[in-house]
Amino acid sequence: MDVAGDPEGPRPPGGDGPQGSARETPSRLSREQLFVLISAGSLNLGSMMSYSILGPFFPKEAEKKKASNTVIGMIFGCYALSQLLASLVFGKYLVHIGAKFMFVAGLFVSGGVTILFGLLDQVPEGPIFIAMCFLVRVTDAVSFAAGITASFAILAKTFPNNVGTVLGSLEIVSGLGLVLGPPLGGWLYQSFGYEVPFILLGCITLLMVPLNMCILPNYESDPGKQSFWKLITLPKVALISFVINSLSASFGFLDPTLSLFVLEKFNLPAGHVGLVFLGLALSYAISSPLFGRLSDKMPNLRKWFLVLGNLTTAGCYMMLGPVPVFHIKSQLWLLVLILVINGISAGMSIIPTFPEILNCAYENGFEEGLSTLALVSGLFSAMWSVGAIVGPTLGGFLYEKIGFEWAAAVQGLWALTSGLMMGLFYLLEYSRRRRYVKVPNTLGTEEERTALLSDEIKP
């Protein structure tokens, strides 16, 4: 089933070739495209709120149930690990399962387990409570992996030439969910108790299920012959995956470290710490659609976005403390400014990664269709999950050993390395293409000369 209003079928999004640049995108959204955006937006908003709602009050409730700080950290951390494994499986078998079914099923299970999380305060304390927390959290992660993998594939199928723009625009919804989740959850918890935040959010998510069953298009495709292994072993895809790891880890690094640093360094009230994170979330959400639009309209800018975005992110983490070798005094206004810049640089780096991987897959013989889109979607989600595991774990360890300033600098070195590696790869790629272009031109010139000489010799 091809995209509505697109009789030629999908092509590599924002391709660098003449066909991709010459082909115009309809200025108005079709009904099918609008419905897909509504579906993807509902998933992003609900999932991000469900993910972030735990922060303000769950650790306190878990301590009452005899869960240690280490166990609480593992309950949070198992989410990313489960999402990593599930994303690879769902990306491989999306075509067999069906994109629409996977999307709706993920949304349904997510709503159900969110309600179950609100009933955990009725579970006996100790090992039973801890086991149930792990079970519900893992199930939630698997459902989110199903929904988001199907969502990415459907979006890329529906908007083949505007993948960056659409993904960037949806980051506004994701950012809104992350921003609204903690304060809304905290207010509901204080006003109505532990159960209400989860039950309310879970019911809202379940109400989205029949809506998406009605409006989401059903895309069908034959299973492809390609595999994750062939995709990840492409040098360019491997390097972009490393970039995704780095950027995800940079976000995850801040979760266990930044709030402690702000409380200790600036003596802010606990309620004001969330406002510090707001600068990062808002700048990322606002800048992402802009970089998505630019990467679709001018695909050649993607490589610059990837390199410059990573190098800027590296500089931001060097300045978060700042690192002591700079001899710059740490100030709150400087910290907030750096977080705002970091949000912009993250949007610059993250948004082009999906269309870049997709173009690379097409250039290396992957068939254009839902099976390839599913592989790329699963790979992106899995690589993001790797960073979400490593970032908080490494960040918490380094914070204890060497302090926030040097720990942030180490995290910055990861972004610096990924940026320099991508820059070197693009330079080598540009040099290789110039060599290949020169050879045919030379041959063509020789053939022309031979033809001219033969014409002159003829009587």
Side-chain angles (χ1 to χ4, degrees), residues 239 242-243 246 306-307 310-311 313-315 318 409-425:
L239 285 174
F242 185 65
V243 168
S246 168
L306 281 171
V307 175
N310 274 274
L311 297 181
T313 299
M318 299 290 181
V410 172
Q411 180 61 49
L413 288 177
W414 190 347
L416 178 65
T417 303
S418 62
L420 292 176
M421 290 176 66
M422 283 305 310
L424 179 60
F425 175 84

Side-chain angles (χ1 to χ4, degrees), residues 29 96 112 313 396 401 415 432 450:
L29 294 175
H96 299 80
T313 299
K401 298 297 181 182
R432 185 170 64 252
T450 304

Side-chain angles (χ1 to χ4, degrees), residues 21 27 54 86 116 135 153 165 171 179 202 216 231 256 288 332 344 366 369 393 398 419 434 439:
S21 58
S27 57
L54 296 177
L116 288 177
L135 178 62
T165 303
E171 287 304 306
V179 169
L216 193 65
L231 183 63
S288 293
L332 184 58
I344 296 171
F366 282 69
T393 306
L398 292 176
R434 284 196 64 182
V439 172

Side-chain angles (χ1 to χ4, degrees), residues 79-122:
Y79 189 96
L81 178 60
S82 304
Q83 185 184 343
L84 163 64
L85 300 175
S87 296
L88 294 174
V89 174
F90 289 135
K92 174 67 175 176
Y93 294 104
L94 181 141
V95 175
H96 299 80
I97 298 172
K100 180 176 180 177
F101 177 80
M102 185 181 291
F103 183 100
V104 174
L107 201 61
F108 175 77
V109 174
S110 178
V113 296
T114 301
I115 294 174
L116 288 177
F117 220 107
L119 303 177
L120 289 180
D121 65 329
Q122 308 297 326

Side-chain angles (χ1 to χ4, degrees), residues 231-243 245 383 422:
L231 183 63
I232 194 65
T233 52
L234 296 174
K236 186 175 182 179
V237 173
L239 285 174
I240 296 176
S241 298
F242 185 65
V243 168
N245 294 158
M383 293 302 101
M422 283 305 310

